[in-house]
Amino acid sequence: MSQVLIRGGRIVTAVDDYHGDLLIENGRIEAIARHLDVPDAEIHDATGLLVMPGGIDVHTHMEGEQGPAMNCDTYASGTVSAAFGGTTTIVDFAYQNKGDGAKKTVEERLALADPQVCIDYSFHLILTDVNPDTLAELPDLINTEGISSFKMFMAYPDILMVDDASIYRTMSRVRDHGGMVNLHAENGAVIQVLIEEALAEGRTDPKYHGYTRPRLMEAEATHRAIRLAELAEIPVYIVHLSAPEALEMVVQARDRGVHAFAETCPHYLFLDKTEYDRPGFDAAKYVMTPPLREHDCQHHLWRGLRFDDLQLVATDHCPFCFNEQPLGLKYSKRIGADDFSKIPNGAPGVELRLVLLYDGGVKTGKINLNRFVQLTATAPAKMFGLFPQKGTIAVGSDADLVLFNPEKKQVLSAATHHSQVDYSLFEGREVTGKVEKVFSRGRLIVDGDRFLGQAGQGQFLKRGASGRIL
Ligand code: URP
Ligand code: ZN
Ligand code: ZN
């Protein structure tokens, strides 16, 4: 029987904060007490460290295809990067190709990811082809495979976008089975017109990505998504919310008693649209969707996080290299060198979520430590059917733990991160806080700068119902 004792740390959950010892047996938390003596256990001294539930990132894109482009992190490199950042579970995406069935899509993704992942994982199923056969498969996928969340795009016409009828049909189909629909909420048709107009005027620089995706069109789609969910009487989840006008739609819905939920991402909390003024092609590093917004949007997002109008923070880690070499054009932003509308959309971040939120949220007094754990671990687990196996520190829960040094300073850089991407959105930023050790089901996988995990050691998680948070 493997026993691990974490001694003398400050144990922080979404509701607790105390000093104590924690015993792990066979990958689960066995006992928590002020002091524990276990003679044969492997001992880790956590004096001066925060002991928190491992982070759960419910929005990552590993090995995702985007038209001619492909994310530059594999499930192997991406989950190593996640682990170094204190994230012990990801919910990534299985992408349905038009014509493919739902179950087949998930099975193929599982076969790709499973031998590579070093932390536990699940998928949201991205639906692009909502037909009677696909719809018929969804209840079984929820009930037997544990895939209870379905992502649909209201943007990216001709590639991923689905119409309102497809969204409504999916909502109606999964409602009684504990399913939830996650929406990328932007009005894709209008944005396409704005893109065509910009290109016709010769505006091809990366900064026009931001100009052609206005906040109002995020708000419009957020409103539409919520109203469809209201009609279907099902919870709804808005991914990567960036605009105060969209947040207002969520707030109004919640005030009406609708189960409307939303996430935001670190780049919307810490960066703004002035990044698009960078010279030359450098601004392409910041081409993600929705785009970075005006600086004063940030305080609305923080208010949302504080008062639970935004329930959690995910990264939308969707990395493409800046340079063509060494991985090749397919993995690079350079695909859009002459036309902003061809730049692969997305940015890296899976390794930085905890440290950025700690430094920029907890240290600055915007949120407290309990809220930090809620936003990074507990709420994601509850939202997507993983609680209490994941997302907390409690007897019987998986021993997914982060030992975090709250005082250590570090400088963020692509030179020291573990993703395959060749740049950082936060290059050179000094932050306070560092992940010292990470345990995945009781196994030490990160120890300082050393990676001790193994590809394939992550387990696929069959999830319970999504969005049924009362
Ligand atoms: O720019 C982004 N967010 N790329 C990833 C795909 C998506 O829209 O989530
Ligand atoms: Zn999206
Ligand atoms: Zn995404």
Side-chain angles (χ1 to χ4, degrees), residues 332-343:
S332 163
K333 294 274 186 186
R334 302 276 171 185
I335 289 178
D338 302 320
D339 174 350
F340 74 88
S341 71
K342 296 196 167 60
I343 299 171

Side-chain angles (χ1 to χ4, degrees), residues 25-264:
E25 256 179 40
N26 299 323
R28 296 222 172 120
I29 296 170
E30 177 67 18
I32 307 170
R34 185 172 291 280
H35 185 79
L36 290 167
D37 271 321
V38 186
D40 296 329
E42 169 190 317
I43 294 180
H44 296 267
D45 181 11
T47 308
L49 302 179
L50 306 176
V51 180
M52 299 186 287
I56 299 176
D57 192 342
V58 296
H59 191 155
T60 66
H61 302 261
M62 310 299 178
E63 297 190 41
E65 280 182 39
Q66 203 181 95
M70 184 136 190
N71 294 128
C72 63
D73 268 326
T74 61
Y75 281 97
S77 67
T79 56
V80 170
S81 181
F84 271 103
T87 286
T88 49
T89 299
I90 57 167
V91 187
D92 199 85
F93 294 100
Y95 299 71
Q96 180 194 29
N97 293 317
K98 292 201 167 69
D100 281 355
K103 190 145 188 254
K104 170 178 185 277
T105 301
V106 171
E107 280 169 358
E108 286 179 1
R109 204 71 189 167
L110 251 167
L112 176 68
D114 206 61
Q116 300 191 60
V117 285
C118 69
I119 56 173
D120 292 353
Y121 71 107
S122 178
F123 303 119
H124 312 280
L125 172 61
I126 291 179
L127 293 173
T128 56
D129 191 0
V130 179
N131 57 53
D133 291 342
T134 300
L135 287 168
E137 285 188 88
L138 302 186
D140 194 44
L141 209 56
I142 299 170
N143 296 325
T144 63
E145 310 300 322
I147 301 284
S148 59
S149 44
F150 304 92
K151 180 171 177 188
M152 305 177 92
F153 288 84
M154 302 167 87
Y156 307 132
D158 304 328
I159 311 169
L160 295 165
M161 191 165 106
V162 294
D163 61 14
D164 294 351
S166 299
I167 296 171
Y168 179 72
R169 284 197 174 99
T170 305
M171 288 174 165
S172 303
R173 195 75 188 92
V174 302
R175 175 190 53 221
D176 295 334
H177 301 274
M180 181 165 71
V181 174
N182 303 356
L183 274 318
H184 173 129
E186 282 186 308
N187 186 318
V190 171
I191 285 168
Q192 190 55 35
V193 174
L194 300 178
I195 291 171
E196 284 164 12
E197 285 174 359
L199 292 176
E201 288 165 9
R203 300 178 203 272
T204 55
D205 290 353
K207 69 176 175 204
Y208 293 106
H209 172 76
Y211 292 164
T212 53
R213 308 193 87 95
R215 286 155 49 178
L216 279 184
M217 289 301 96
E218 185 184 345
E220 185 282 323
T222 302
H223 171 78
R224 193 158 28 103
I226 290 170
R227 288 300 194 182
L228 293 173
E230 223 170 324
L231 188 67
E233 298 180 351
I234 185 174
V236 62
Y237 183 87
I238 308 297
V239 300
H240 53 43
L241 187 144
S242 70
E245 295 84 352
L247 178 57
E248 192 54 32
M249 296 300 110
V250 176
V251 172
Q252 286 177 13
R254 293 173 67 76
D255 287 349
R256 291 197 297 278
V258 178
H259 291 252
F261 306 114
E263 68 182 28
T264 191

Side-chain angles (χ1 to χ4, degrees), residues 284-299:
K285 293 173 181 168
Y286 298 83
V287 168
M288 77 281 282
T289 303
L292 297 175
R293 303 300 191 184
E294 284 73 7
H295 186 75
D296 74 344
C297 294
Q298 293 176 4
H299 84 261

Side-chain angles (χ1 to χ4, degrees), residues 424-444:
S424 170
L425 292 180
F426 297 93
E427 186 68 37
R429 179 178 294 224
E430 189 187 70
V431 291
T432 302
K434 189 161 192 326
V435 171
E436 298 279 7
K437 291 188 181 181
V438 178
F439 295 83
S440 168
R441 277 177 283 103
R443 206 162 140 175
L444 183 66

